Amino acid sequence: MSEFLQFLFSGVTVGAVYALVALGFTIIYNASDVVNFAQGEFVMLGGMITWFAHAAGLPLPLAALIAIVATAALGVAINKLAIEPARGAPVVSLIIITIGASVFLQGAAQLVFDKQIHSFPAFSGDRPLRIGGATIQPQSLWVIGGALVVFAGLWLFFTRTLLGRAVLATSNNRLAAQLVGINTNFVMTLSFALSAGIGALAGVLATPITLTAYNVGIGFALKGFAGAMLGGMGNPKGALAGGFLIGLIEALTAGYLSSTYKEAAAFVVILLVLFFMPQGLFGRKSTERV
Amino acid sequence: MPKLSAKSATLLVLAALIAVTPFFFPSGYYYRVGALIFVNGLAVTGIVILTGYAGQISLGHAGFAGIGGYACALAPTHLGLHPSLAVVLGAAISAVLAWLVGRPILRLKGYYLAVATLGFGILVAMVLNNERALTGGPDGIAVPDLGLRGLLKDWGLELTNGQFWYFFCGLVLLAGAWIALNLHQSPTGRALRALHGSEIAARTVGVDVARLKLQAFVISAVYASVAGSLVALQNKFITPDVAGFMHSIEMVTMAVLGGAGSVLGAIFGAGVLTLLPQALTVLAEYEQLVLGLVMMLVMIFLRDGLLPSILRKLRGTGE
């Protein structure tokens, strides 16, 4: 039993990171119908920039803040320089652009930082807490709390603020939103900044546990996408639940089946969802206007 | 003078390039580079069928190359197959896997295939890295000799190893291009391009969209598999890198750089991206940076790719 609890804790911890990535996917997907394959690189950048700034002597909170702001700025730059100029391009072109951005950021991280694996100290020490015969790192609570706070913040933003409603309006119908005076370009900028910032936050919170390196992004992207899809593409609640579920499935696979092939769990989930319920747990069946 | 069809013109240009270029090689090393371009060109021709004709994208085609390559390493030792039959076996396994993976996915929107193939490629690389007992793990594994060069020697045609692989890969590439060009002009090819233009329009005129996309996916997987086999047989060695994510990205970049809509364009792209690191070894560290940049720039500014854009400029149609 305590073994199961242990797997549960580690599953919820990584699941929280996947949920944050899935939320990032969802924000951009809703605002623009673009699936941003560079989403995982934001997580990598959050971790790497924080490590770099911290190693250079800055206090950890400041380093983390710099990482989040810098990554958000990069997200905006990707939107302005690579995605906006290609508006109206076929899906395949947009996929190639965002994958290109992902590969580019990986290449840049190798050059600016290095190819080593890095970490920085956990926020509240390393003394594990004992719960029901299992242990949990204090950092795990930071990650899980972070995911829940971000979700609550997004929910408040999208339902209670005018700006949040403008984003929702844009995702429903871009042209109609423009007609009622919403600056849809600003909405896009905001979505990319938010999404990149959330990704970077995930990297900051997770790095003391999962470690970071220039090439960790693609794995986060794949699992975050699996989470978003499992929950139902474009549904924030679904993204949260899907992310946590993917984390749990992965941890249980590692615990009971094979730790070598835990990475395969996300892929198997993707295939099963596509086979049996392409609309996901919370999603609606999609129809396309011609 | 009778006007050549686009198909014959492409094949003639390609055959002429393969036959004439060796006269300008300063050393035997260039045969190796040439063979590498042809193998990459073959894999990328498969991408043309999938991306250029059918408008779908795969981020995991290196996985099929890995299957083709490791089939040549494993089937001769474990099943006692001749290496040439191992190529066929690898292609068959790739085709079946592509069919299994593609069938549920290709009914859905474009990015689902991208994600599923991305996961598939990572999975294949993971298996090749982890099953050390079978695959030798990250260190790679030896591949037996194809034996064709020895056979040619018995028949009185003596070639160096470099020359043999240069011409052999060149011929396979010609065959692959011929098949792709025939497909382009067939009713299937027309239907594929129709669904590239608009899936819904194609469906309303009676095109079985899901089945056609699946066909294109399976065919392109076979191309990648055969290319992987050729690499393994030529090097007599293979590592899991052949199935790696970056190799998949290289294939897509080669195709879109040259022009995914045209066989010759894509092979041209394969040539450029194969030569570039050879010419500028300092570039090795910048490889990912350059690949990513090329992908974005081409898709933003030259969506048809380099070669079609150049040709259009030359013809002065300025369409």
Side-chain angles (χ1 to χ4, degrees):
Chain A
M1 188 59 207
S2 69
E3 195 187 49
F4 176 74
L5 205 60
Q6 193 64 59
F7 296 148
L8 212 63
F9 286 163
S10 69
V12 173
T13 307
V14 282
V17 182
Y18 301 158
L20 285 171
V21 180
L23 282 171
F25 267 122
T26 307
I27 294 170
I28 291 181
Y29 179 76
N30 278 345
S32 62
D33 265 338
V34 172
V35 172
N36 174 29
F37 280 85
Q39 196 66 34
E41 309 311 325
F42 297 149
V43 182
M44 177 275 287
L45 287 170
M48 289 294 270
I49 297 177
T50 307
W51 158 75
F52 189 73
H54 184 59
L58 292 182
L60 198 52
L62 184 62
L65 186 70
I66 290 175
I68 293 171
V69 172
T71 309
L74 263 174
V76 171
I78 288 178
N79 175 45
K80 287 279 174 216
L81 299 177
I83 295 182
E84 241 169 52
R87 167 144 313 141
V91 178
V92 170
S93 305
L94 287 169
I95 294 172
I96 295 173
I97 288 174
T98 59
I99 269 284
S102 166
V103 172
F104 176 80
L105 289 175
Q106 270 186 45
Q110 273 179 54
L111 291 173
V112 176
F113 309 117
D114 55 19
K115 291 181 154 188
Q116 311 297 317
I117 295 170
H118 296 289
S119 187
F120 42 80
F123 300 172
S124 335
D126 294 321
R127 271 213 16 213
L129 310 167
R130 302 196 67 86
I131 302 172
T135 59
I136 187 165
Q137 293 286 334
Q139 189 67 24
S140 294
L141 300 178
W142 276 97
V143 180
I144 298 163
L148 295 177
V149 167
V150 165
F151 179 75
L154 284 177
W155 183 76
L156 285 176
F157 174 69
F158 283 121
T159 54
R160 298 294 155 88
T161 67
L162 195 62
L163 195 56
R165 283 159 174 268
V167 178
L168 284 186
T170 308
S171 69
N172 273 332
N173 188 331
R174 187 184 189 85
L175 189 63
Q178 271 169 352
L179 287 175
V180 296
I182 293 170
N183 183 347
T184 51
N185 277 336
F186 176 70
V187 165
M188 285 288 288
T189 304
L190 183 73
S191 304
F192 271 85
L194 257 181
S195 176
I198 291 172
L201 175 71
V204 170
L205 295 173
T207 298
I209 302 172
T210 60
L211 312 184
T212 192
Y214 78 97
N215 59 358
V216 296
I218 202 77
F220 281 118
L222 193 63
K223 287 157 196 173
F225 186 89
M229 225 178 64
L230 177 61
M233 206 63 199
N235 183 317
K237 256 186 306 207
L240 187 76
F244 274 112
L245 270 173
I246 296 286
L248 282 174
I249 294 169
E250 197 177 285
L252 295 176
T253 310
Y256 291 115
L257 294 173
S258 150
S259 59
T260 332
Y261 287 109
K262 74 179 166 95
E263 306 283 324
F267 172 66
V268 174
V269 171
I270 291 183
L271 282 189
L272 290 179
V273 171
L274 288 173
F275 261 114
F276 296 112
M277 47 168 197
Q279 71 277 19
L281 293 171
F282 295 89
R284 280 180 308 240
K285 205 163 168 55
S286 77
T287 48
E288 200 174 334
R289 253 188 308 228
V290 186
Chain B
M1 195 176 113
K3 208 168 151 33
L4 279 173
S5 73
K7 181 179 97 178
S8 330
T10 303
L11 288 174
L12 270 178
V13 169
L14 204 55
L17 277 176
I18 295 170
V20 173
T21 333
F23 290 111
F24 301 97
F25 284 168
S27 76
Y29 171 71
Y30 288 79
Y31 282 106
R32 225 189 112 66
V33 179
L36 195 60
I37 293 179
F38 298 155
V39 172
N40 284 334
L42 183 69
V44 170
T45 304
I47 303 285
V48 167
I49 295 172
L50 181 70
T51 305
Y53 295 180
Q56 307 300 309
I57 187 163
S58 165
L59 301 176
H61 254 52
F64 298 117
I67 291 169
Y70 275 84
C72 288
L74 299 177
T77 35
H78 292 276
L79 305 175
L81 281 183
H82 189 267
S84 59
L85 289 177
V87 177
V88 178
L89 178 70
I93 295 174
S94 293
V96 170
L97 275 175
W99 188 81
L100 283 174
V101 172
R103 219 174 81 93
I105 295 164
L106 284 161
R107 265 174 286 176
L108 302 160
K109 274 194 195 166
Y111 50 80
Y112 285 113
L113 184 68
V115 174
T117 49
L118 175 63
F120 169 78
I122 290 177
L123 198 64
V124 172
M126 203 190 302
V127 172
L128 296 178
N129 270 308
N130 286 326
E131 298 300 321
R132 282 163 194 277
L134 193 64
T135 64
D139 296 336
I141 190 169
V143 177
D145 191 71
L146 180 60
L148 188 58
R149 190 163 75 100
L151 211 62
L152 288 177
K153 199 172 173 184
D154 293 342
W155 292 342
L157 183 62
E158 203 160 330
L159 295 170
T160 67
N161 192 42
Q163 286 170 336
F164 167 73
W165 283 106
Y166 175 88
F167 289 109
F168 185 64
C169 294
L171 284 177
V172 177
L173 174 63
L174 263 182
W178 180 70
I179 294 170
L181 290 164
N182 273 335
L183 186 72
H184 189 72
Q185 290 176 332
S186 72
T188 311
R190 264 196 298 277
L192 278 173
R193 277 172 289 144
L195 81 85
H196 190 175
S198 162
E199 258 182 50
I200 290 161
R203 189 175 296 143
T204 51
V205 294
V207 173
D208 186 344
V209 170
R211 196 176 62 95
L212 271 177
K213 284 198 271 188
L214 187 58
Q215 276 178 3
F217 185 57
V218 170
I219 294 171
S220 70
V222 170
Y223 272 84
S225 177
V226 173
S229 295
L230 287 178
V231 171
L233 288 169
Q234 186 189 357
N235 295 337
K236 294 197 189 145
F237 194 75
I238 190 163
T239 68
D241 282 348
V242 72
F245 170 64
M246 283 314 294
H247 189 206
S248 294
I249 295 299
E250 274 170 18
M251 286 187 204
V252 175
T253 315
M254 284 171 180
V256 298
L257 172 66
S262 92
V263 172
L264 204 56
I267 295 172
F268 175 72
V272 172
L273 277 189
T274 312
L275 282 176
L276 215 56
Q278 307 279 346
L280 302 162
T281 32
V282 278
L283 223 64
E285 253 181 74
Y286 296 86
E287 196 196 347
Q288 291 205 8
L289 203 73
V290 171
L291 279 182
L293 209 57
V294 167
M295 290 172 90
M296 291 192 282
L297 291 178
V298 169
M299 278 300 116
I300 296 167
F301 299 112
L302 280 176
R303 214 164 288 156
D304 295 332
L306 219 46
L307 196 63
S309 303
I310 295 172
L311 288 179
R312 205 154 48 220
K313 271 265 161 51
L314 287 180
R315 287 198 196 107
T317 46
E319 187 187 328

